[in-house]
Amino acid sequence: MAVAKLDQYLGNPNLKKGHTKTRFTKKQIEEVITCLDDPKYFIKKYLKIVTIDKGLVPFDMYNFQEKMVDTFHENRFTICKLPRQSGKSTIIVSYLLHYVLFNDNVNVAILANKSSTARDLLGRLQLAYEHLPKWMQQGVLNWNKGSIELENGSKIVAASTSSSAVRGSTFNIIFLDEFAYVPNNIAEEFFSSVYPTVSSGKSSKVMIVSTPHGMNMFYKMWVDAENKRNDYVPVEVHWSEVPGRDEAWKAQTIANTSEQQFKVEFECEFLGSVNTLINASKLRNLAYDDPIKRNAGLDIYEHPKEEHNYLITVDVARGLGNDYSAFVVFDITNFPYKIVGKYKNNEIKPMLFPSIIHEVAKGYNDAWLLIEVNDIGVQVASILHFDLEYDNVLMCAMRGRAGQIVGSGFSGKKSQLGVRMTAAVKKLGCSNLRTLIEDDKLLVKDYDIISELTTFIQRKNSFEAEEGCNDDLAMCLVIFSFGYMIDQNVLLYVGSLLPLAYVVWLVTTTDLLRLVTEKAGQVINAAAEIPAFKAISKQEPVTQTEVAAPAPAGGHDLYGHFEGKWFVYSMVATYQDTNSVGNVYFGMYPLYVGKTRELFFNAAMPDFDLKTTKFYILTRSFEHKFVRETREFDTITVKIKVAEANRKFCTLEHQIFGAEGQLLGKGKQSLLFVSSKDYGLLDIPSEVYTAFMKYL
């Protein structure tokens, strides 16, 4: 048996063992000095690679590869967008080999989306190292599939891209291969934990190389680099820069694959996944902005504005690390609607989540909340509504075949806090969301949301996140599109749109529950007999001059009158209005407000005719806060005025006073407007706007 040579590492004749003495010639010393200062010279003269056609051959670099080496050598942070099979990994490995040979006591991490890929890259480096002249080599102290250690103190490790792979170590170079294929949550965690250790050095480097794969963190870092929003130097290589690739090659490649695949893998376009909810061309044109404020998962793009209306949709996770608890803040004041804030956190516990929602919602003008309640979301909604006493938690009611209807809570025993995500809800929400974004009716400027939309794909008969991705923010948009953009059909809303007392009265006297299941025309005909509609549809309405006439004897006028912006109407509580102990029954107060509102409508819009109008005025929500009791035969005065209005909705404010001027209660109601033809939601009609704005 032959005795292994003393200078060989573990019997490998191509590897020099550590601490082996080497005699250098003058020429060799000159070569080492030249290679030290010029990595391109070293690569061209001494590196060998394995090719499919020719086997082991010297590495003849392309022009763009030489430029890449210069960029790596001269800059700390580099990000490269390269086409498939362009030799990107080879040139990186070559530069890393030069770095560990000619720098003492440096640590290098080769990280890839898969650990096997990282080990393969290390294997290529090891192959190139083995074919170096022994006098050019550093002695080997450790040599295995996952790491190498040289006698100059330099080390290289190979692992999958994760924070745990490099935690606790300091690295001079971190190379991230195919970074676009690393899931977003892992990529974010990696940079939050690793980047501070890298940036703390003065010469440490981060080199990121990938082919695009959707609009993920690689996409964000690339766009930020192009726009000089980070420290990375962008390097882009076109497929035509690779020798042998021309238009004929392009045509053949497309014929063997697909045009979309070619755009992603060779033209390096940041296309999303196949079969995304939002059209791919639209996704490409969505541009993100940096938030003006960022704190612990909360990103703010616009601060709250006075008199603006906001809606927050919420998706709740269990806080176990896989899914995120998330909410999105929408400004719904005017078209196009826009996203002004978002929250995303995969560590927040469900019981702590309501406090964060509550704080943000209060800040955004007591925003409406629509919460998905399939799982523990119901607990979050309950804490907000009952424990934190937040009034603007939206409710949904079940309406048979119609499914869930977002209403005010006056919808009967089948109502619930929040919305339950069903197949029907998701289908409608996705359909509306596609329309909103593709028609520019919803402005999306958040990177995380855009990223999720690029991987929000069709699977069987539904849409969900691509495997390895998240869709928590995308589902917040789906909830918004269902809950806020759904057609407000009068057939579905009659039960929840009238004040509470009216609902009780109508159900018991006119069998409303039967009526709302009839055809829409029948509902409207029945509604025409309701006093509220009768009052605003009188053929001979009373003019404002008439209602402002002096009050008749007894101190009460028949039609009410205006006191500045307030419309005022007084009445006497009758015996029938009271309960068994002589106090006015609580359900009468909404009735008093409803009566006053009818007269206000009649005074403000004397020409309104239910039979000929192109729109109907309906109640979107009603609330009343009780202050004190009053009794039979007491004079009750109701004051009502226009509090605010936006493009879609109008809010009326009311106050109720007793005979001595004491406040009995106060509240507000929101009005909406629907087409008399198809009951679709309308902007505030011009005649209503003109009539009401005089009193705003």
Side-chain angles (χ1 to χ4, degrees):
M1 178 181 289
V3 179
K5 293 185 178 180
L6 296 178
D7 65 344
Q8 296 177 1
Y9 177 79
L10 297 181
N12 188 334
N14 296 324
L15 292 179
K16 183 173 72 173
K17 186 172 68 172
H19 308 299
T20 299
K21 292 183 178 181
T22 303
R23 289 185 175 272
F24 292 91
T25 66
K26 182 179 179 181
K27 178 66 175 176
Q28 291 170 344
I29 293 173
E30 290 175 351
E31 283 292 293
V32 170
I33 294 172
T34 303
C35 291
L36 174 66
D37 297 328
D38 191 349
K40 287 190 298 184
Y41 176 85
F42 165 76
I43 294 171
K44 288 179 180 178
K45 188 166 184 178
Y46 292 103
L47 246 70
K48 293 182 179 180
I49 60 173
V50 176
T51 65
I52 297 176
D53 298 324
K54 299 180 180 180
L56 189 67
V57 295
F59 185 14
D60 185 15
M61 289 190 294
Y62 304 141
N63 291 334
F64 73 84
Q65 290 175 323
E66 293 189 30
K67 294 178 181 178
M68 288 177 65
V69 171
D70 289 335
T71 304
F72 297 149
H73 200 58
E74 297 169 3
N75 298 278
R76 291 186 61 195
F77 303 101
T78 311
I79 185 168
C80 305
K81 184 177 68 167
L82 283 84
R84 183 83 54 207
Q85 298 171 352
S86 56
K88 57 182 180 293
S89 300
T90 303
I91 195 63
I92 291 286
V93 163
S94 302
Y95 179 77
L96 295 180
L97 178 56
H98 173 273
Y99 189 83
V100 296
L101 275 176
F102 298 100
N103 292 277
D104 296 338
N105 302 308
V106 295
N107 292 333
V108 174
I110 299 176
L111 306 178
N113 59 315
K114 299 178 181 178
S115 59
S116 58
T117 304
R119 289 194 297 270
D120 178 69
L121 291 170
L122 180 62
R124 297 187 194 186
L125 185 149
Q126 291 173 317
L127 179 65
Y129 189 95
E130 288 185 39
H131 289 89
L132 292 174
K134 279 197 175 180
W135 59 266
M136 181 69 72
Q137 296 182 11
Q138 295 283 347
V140 176
L141 300 180
N142 182 42
W143 188 273
N144 57 51
K145 293 183 178 180
S147 64
I148 62 175
E149 183 178 357
L150 305 178
E151 65 178 348
N152 67 347
S154 295
K155 301 176 183 178
I156 304 177
V157 298
S160 61
T161 304
S162 67
S163 59
S164 60
V166 294
R167 183 174 287 130
S169 302
T170 301
F171 289 91
N172 302 88
I173 288 185
I174 293 179
F175 164 49
L176 301 172
D177 184 61
E178 295 295 8
F179 190 60
Y181 290 83
V182 178
N184 258 10
N185 59 329
I186 296 176
E188 291 171 359
E189 183 182 359
F190 173 82
F191 268 98
S192 64
S193 62
V194 175
Y195 185 77
T197 63
V198 175
S199 60
S200 62
K202 296 182 179 181
S203 60
S204 52
K205 297 175 183 284
V206 177
M207 301 152 56
I208 303 174
V209 178
S210 187
T211 301
H213 184 63
M215 296 177 197
N216 43 28
M217 191 167 184
F218 176 73
Y219 161 78
K220 184 178 187 301
M221 296 181 71
W222 174 262
V223 173
D224 286 346
E226 283 191 312
N227 293 287
K228 301 187 184 303
R229 293 198 290 249
N230 59 29
D231 296 328
Y232 286 84
V233 177
V235 177
E236 183 174 8
V237 176
H238 192 263
W239 60 264
S240 60
E241 296 182 63
V242 181
R245 296 182 178 180
D246 51 20
E247 290 298 326
W249 171 87
K250 175 182 177 181
Q252 184 182 21
T253 304
I254 292 175
N256 293 330
T257 55
S258 68
E259 187 169 356
Q260 183 173 13
Q261 187 174 348
F262 187 87
K263 287 182 178 180
V264 173
E265 296 186 348
F266 296 100
E267 293 187 338
C268 295
E269 292 191 16
F270 286 99
L271 298 180
S273 304
V274 179
N275 298 324
T276 53
L277 172 66
I278 310 301
N279 182 275
S281 61
K282 184 64 182 180
L283 288 172
R284 284 199 304 273
N285 292 325
L286 293 178
Y288 64 88
D289 291 333
D290 289 330
I292 60 176
K293 183 179 180 181
R294 175 170 284 167
N295 182 31
L298 178 65
D299 293 341
I300 301 297
Y301 292 91
E302 279 190 12
H303 291 300
K305 297 180 180 179
E306 291 186 9
E307 300 182 357
H308 275 228
N309 298 312
Y310 299 95
L311 173 72
I312 299 176
T313 57
V314 184
D315 185 72
V316 186
R318 289 186 172 270
L320 301 177
N322 296 322
D323 292 326
Y324 290 78
S325 285
F327 63 75
V328 177
V329 186
F330 302 86
D331 187 335
I332 55 175
T333 310
N334 300 296
F335 266 129
Y337 300 132
K338 55 185 175 181
I339 293 171
V340 298
K342 76 104 181 341
Y343 178 86
K344 181 180 179 184
N345 192 318
N346 65 340
E347 296 180 352
I348 186 74
K349 300 302 179 184
M351 296 302 101
L352 300 178
F353 195 27
S355 299
I356 297 174
I357 300 171
H358 182 261
E359 182 179 356
V360 175
K362 293 293 292 184
Y364 279 92
N365 302 344
D366 292 325
W368 292 102
L369 295 178
L370 185 56
I371 305 169
E372 187 266 316
V373 294
N374 281 50
D375 188 15
I376 56 174
V378 67
Q379 301 177 38
V380 172
S382 297
I383 291 172
L384 279 160
H385 188 65
F386 297 108
D387 296 347
L388 299 177
E389 298 183 350
Y390 191 73
D391 294 333
N392 289 351
V393 180
L394 290 170
M395 303 182 75
C396 286
M398 296 302 299
R399 285 287 184 262
R401 295 181 180 178
Q404 296 177 84
I405 304 301
V406 180
S408 62
F410 301 142
S411 303
K413 62 182 181 180
K414 292 186 177 180
S415 51
Q416 65 186 25
L417 288 170
V419 59
R420 189 167 299 279
M421 187 58 61
T422 64
V425 169
K426 191 173 186 179
K427 182 178 180 181
L428 182 58
C430 287
S431 178
N432 288 341
L433 178 59
R434 178 190 292 115
T435 300
L436 281 172
I437 293 180
E438 293 184 358
D439 292 350
D440 296 320
K441 295 179 180 178
L442 175 62
L443 303 182
V444 183
K445 297 292 186 180
D446 179 76
Y447 155 72
D448 290 324
I449 295 176
I450 295 173
S451 177
E452 286 193 9
L453 290 175
T454 65
T455 55
F456 194 57
I457 63 173
Q458 185 171 8
R459 289 189 170 185
K460 296 182 179 180
N461 297 322
S462 183
F463 286 90
E464 58 188 61
E466 186 179 0
E467 186 174 355
C469 303
N470 295 95
D471 60 6
D472 310 281
L473 293 169
M475 287 305 301
C476 287
L477 268 62
V478 172
I479 295 169
F480 168 79
S481 302
F482 165 79
Y484 204 74
M485 296 304 301
I486 189 171
D487 265 351
Q488 313 288 341
N489 190 318
V490 68
L491 174 67
L492 305 175
Y493 266 83
V494 167
S496 64
L497 294 175
L498 297 175
L500 178 59
Y502 267 131
V503 173
V504 175
W505 178 77
L506 287 169
V507 169
T508 56
T509 62
T510 66
D511 193 14
L512 182 61
L513 294 179
R514 177 184 58 81
L515 289 175
V516 297
T517 61
E518 302 293 333
K519 297 179 180 178
Q522 295 173 327
V523 174
I524 296 301
N525 290 335
E529 300 301 317
I530 298 173
F533 283 100
K534 281 186 174 183
I536 61 176
S537 62
K538 290 180 178 180
Q539 296 299 310
E540 298 181 359
V542 180
T543 64
Q544 183 172 336
T545 302
E546 291 172 320
V547 301
H556 317 299
D557 55 30
L558 183 61
Y559 301 110
H561 63 281
F562 284 92
E563 295 180 0
K565 303 293 186 181
W566 291 93
F567 183 82
V568 183
Y569 179 71
S570 298
M571 66 209 81
V572 176
T574 68
Y575 178 81
Q576 295 181 0
D577 297 344
T578 61
N579 56 26
S580 58
V581 296
N583 295 325
V584 172
Y585 183 63
F586 80 94
M588 296 307 300
Y589 294 105
L591 182 62
Y592 298 153
V593 175
K595 176 74 172 175
T596 307
R597 190 185 78 169
E598 295 170 17
L599 295 173
F600 167 70
F601 286 167
N602 194 56
M605 299 185 296
D607 296 325
F608 184 87
D609 186 356
L610 185 63
K611 296 180 180 179
T612 60
T613 182
K614 296 181 180 179
F615 63 89
Y616 297 124
I617 306 174
L618 302 175
T619 308
R620 178 172 176 245
S621 64
F622 180 90
E623 68 176 48
H624 179 77
K625 295 183 179 179
F626 177 84
V627 176
R628 58 171 53 90
E629 300 279 7
T630 190
R631 301 180 65 83
E632 69 266 33
F633 309 124
D634 286 348
T635 299
I636 295 175
T637 299
V638 180
K639 302 174 73 174
I640 194 167
K641 73 172 184 177
V642 181
E644 59 180 340
N646 57 36
R647 183 172 177 177
K648 294 284 184 185
F649 308 111
C650 177
T651 300
L652 303 181
E653 179 184 348
H654 70 262
Q655 298 176 355
I656 304 178
F657 298 90
E660 304 299 324
Q662 71 275 30
L663 182 66
L664 303 180
K666 60 181 180 179
K668 60 183 179 180
Q669 56 187 285
S670 177
L671 307 179
L672 58 81
F673 306 85
V674 299
S675 168
S676 60
K677 182 179 179 180
D678 58 9
Y679 314 112
L681 184 64
L682 301 175
D683 291 349
I684 298 180
S686 58
E687 52 263 61
V688 176
Y689 189 86
T690 301
F692 281 16
M693 291 306 102
K694 295 187 292 185
Y695 308 108
L696 180 60

